[in-house]
Amino acid sequence: MALAYGLLGLGLLGLVASTPFVLAALAPANTDWGKLSDISQAYGAVSVVLSAIALVGVALSLLYQVRQARTSNEQAIRDSHLQLATLALSNPDLLQAWSPPAAPVTLKRHQQHLITSLALGELLQRYRIGHLSVEKLAVKLDGHFRGEIAREQWEREGPDWRRTMEAGDRRDHVFVRLVDERYQAATAAGPALAVAEFQDRPDAT
């Protein structure tokens, strides 16, 4: 897409720049240059429009490249964070080197909260790059906050997320506000799905 915008802009600029020379080369020897002068004035107005379109194409190309670079950088940071989290979760001793929980919890619960936080981070990344609309994000969050651990995690770590998101852009602000809204809606709707309901349940016969 970026290459297409760039080629379009350069092509139009080349067309505008070369047209007078092409016309001069093709004109017969007895050409009425006064009449051509009048035509060239009309052409000048058209060339301004074409030049403007070409510049817009180049600008769109540059904007697209900037957005792609930003997305790539964010994904690289996200991958690095995920690698560190995987390492910490694989070894309880290493997890103690992670940021301590906002309030005392068992080691197992701290691991569960970390997984829940990573799940929220994944939703944030997908929303930032446009893979999730606000409506789809709301549906995802409604499912997220059905669980007991997800609600605990946000109750404990929500203030830190809000402070972090305040330093971000508009999409970060929308994200954390929507997380708060869906959390409040989930707690108002009824009790969470307890952890015990996920485990030690015999298969139906």
Side-chain angles (χ1 to χ4, degrees), residues 1-198:
M1 183 66 71
L3 180 60
Y5 284 136
L7 291 176
L8 175 61
L10 292 175
L12 287 174
L13 284 174
L15 177 62
V16 170
S18 63
T19 299
F21 301 101
V22 173
L23 290 176
L26 295 178
N30 59 349
T31 299
D32 184 351
W33 290 103
K35 183 177 181 180
L36 285 181
S37 176
D38 294 335
I39 296 174
S40 68
Q41 291 180 12
Y43 164 79
V46 175
S47 68
V48 170
V49 176
L50 293 176
S51 297
I53 295 174
L55 290 175
V56 169
V58 173
L60 288 175
S61 174
L62 294 174
L63 178 61
Y64 183 82
Q65 291 178 32
V66 169
R67 291 186 60 183
Q68 286 294 97
R70 179 182 176 185
T71 299
S72 298
N73 290 338
E74 289 179 350
Q75 187 60 49
I77 294 171
R78 178 72 179 165
D79 290 343
S80 176
H81 182 264
L82 182 59
Q83 290 176 6
L84 287 174
T86 301
L87 186 63
L89 287 168
S90 67
N91 188 328
D93 293 332
L94 296 179
L95 183 59
Q96 296 177 13
W98 198 268
S99 299
V105 290
T106 63
L107 178 61
K108 179 179 179 179
R109 206 57 154 188
H110 187 34
Q111 291 173 317
Q112 292 170 332
H113 287 169
L114 177 56
I115 289 292
T116 305
S117 180
L118 290 173
L120 274 181
E122 178 66 18
L123 292 177
L124 172 60
Q125 178 68 10
R126 293 174 62 188
Y127 174 65
R128 279 174 173 170
I129 64 179
H131 285 182
L132 284 179
S133 64
V134 171
E135 293 76 17
K136 290 182 179 180
L137 177 59
V139 173
K140 293 285 187 182
L141 290 171
D142 286 341
H144 179 80
F145 284 123
R146 289 182 62 239
E148 174 185 1
I149 296 174
R151 295 189 189 184
E152 276 188 12
Q153 181 269 338
W154 189 250
E155 183 178 348
R156 291 170 178 267
E157 301 178 10
D160 290 337
W161 275 75
R162 294 185 197 99
R163 285 194 294 270
T164 301
M165 294 294 100
E166 284 176 1
D169 58 16
R170 183 187 64 85
R171 296 184 75 84
D172 287 354
H173 299 167
V174 172
F175 178 85
V176 75
R177 184 170 65 248
L178 188 60
V179 174
D180 267 331
E181 290 176 359
R182 301 327 301 164
Y183 167 77
Q184 296 294 340
T187 55
L193 191 64
V195 175
E197 297 185 52
F198 285 97

